[in-house]
Amino acid sequence: SSGINAEFGEFQTFQHYFKQINLSVIMVEQGVSDHEIHIKYQDQEKINQFARYNSKLLDIKDELVTKNKELQNLTDAAQDVEELELSEDSFPFQLGEVFVEMSADQTRDMIGTYKGKLNDEIKDLQNKSAELESLMKGLKSELYGKFGSAINLEYD
C-alpha cells in the first residue's frame, strides 16, 4: 500500500512538472524544410481532445450505418407483411433469439414500435454527431489558427 502511494506521489510530481514545461516537437511538412514548433501543454490537450472527439464521431457514424440498416430491414419486413397478409394467418416475429407467431396486425404493431425506437435512437445519434462536429470545428479553427499548415486535423 505504501509502495503504491509512493509511486502515485512520484507520478503526481512528474505530472505537475510536465504541466509546467512546454513540449517541443519537430514537425516535418512535405516539400518544406524541417522547422521547430513549440506546443504548450494546453495545446496538446486540445489536440488530444480533438482526437477523442474524432474517435467518438467515427463510432457514432458506424452506429448510424448499423441503425439505418436495421430500419431498412424493418421497413422491408413491414412491406412483406402487407404483401402476404391475405395468404397468411400468422407471421413469425423474432424477439431476441426466439420466433413468436403473431397475427398481421400484431406484427405491424411490433414493427411500428421497433421502427419508432430506432428512429429515436437515430435522431439521438445524429444530434450527438452534430454536437461533436461543432466542438471539433471550434478546436480545428483554434488549432489551425495557431499552428497553420504544421498540423493536420483532416481525415485520411
Side-chain angles (χ1 to χ4, degrees):
S1 176
S2 64
I4 293 173
N5 288 337
E7 288 177 27
F8 184 69
E10 289 174 20
F11 175 73
Q12 284 181 322
T13 302
F14 174 74
Q15 190 177 25
H16 178 71
Y17 173 74
F18 185 70
K19 287 181 180 180
Q20 299 295 322
I21 62 172
N22 288 338
L23 300 176
S24 180
V25 177
I26 305 284
M27 303 178 95
V28 179
E29 292 185 38
Q30 292 178 346
V32 179
S33 64
D34 295 357
H35 64 283
E36 193 171 320
I37 303 289
H38 294 283
I39 301 176
K40 294 181 180 176
Y41 176 79
Q42 293 82 3
D43 297 328
Q44 185 62 51
E45 284 297 308
K46 290 176 185 173
I47 293 167
N48 293 345
Q49 186 64 52
F50 182 89
R52 285 189 295 273
Y53 287 159
N54 187 51
S55 178
K56 285 180 187 177
L57 182 62
L58 293 174
D59 289 344
I60 287 172
K61 287 185 177 192
D62 287 344
E63 195 172 345
L64 274 169
V65 168
T66 301
K67 297 286 184 191
N68 281 314
K69 284 180 184 175
E70 290 176 21
L71 187 61
Q72 183 59 48
N73 289 342
L74 287 172
T75 300
D76 293 345
Q79 286 177 328
D80 290 346
V81 169
E82 292 301 320
E83 292 171 7
L84 297 172
E85 182 177 11
L86 297 176
S87 63
E88 300 290 327
D89 292 334
S90 64
F91 296 89
F93 192 87
Q94 186 175 1
L95 295 173
E97 296 181 16
V98 178
F99 284 91
V100 178
E101 291 287 324
M102 296 183 171
S103 69
D105 288 336
Q106 289 172 321
T107 304
R108 267 195 299 279
D109 290 345
M110 289 298 287
I111 289 172
T113 299
Y114 283 119
K115 282 177 72 173
K117 287 179 184 178
L118 268 176
N119 279 322
D120 290 345
E121 290 174 15
I122 288 170
K123 286 178 187 173
D124 185 45
L125 288 171
Q126 288 170 336
N127 290 338
K128 287 179 183 177
S129 175
E131 181 182 338
L132 284 172
E133 287 173 348
S134 174
L135 292 169
M136 288 171 66
K137 184 178 179 183
L139 284 172
K140 187 186 269 190
S141 173
E142 188 176 337
L143 291 167
Y144 275 130
K146 186 162 190 171
F147 298 109
S149 63
I151 191 168
N152 181 10
L153 300 173
E154 303 301 324
Y155 305 122
D156 288 332

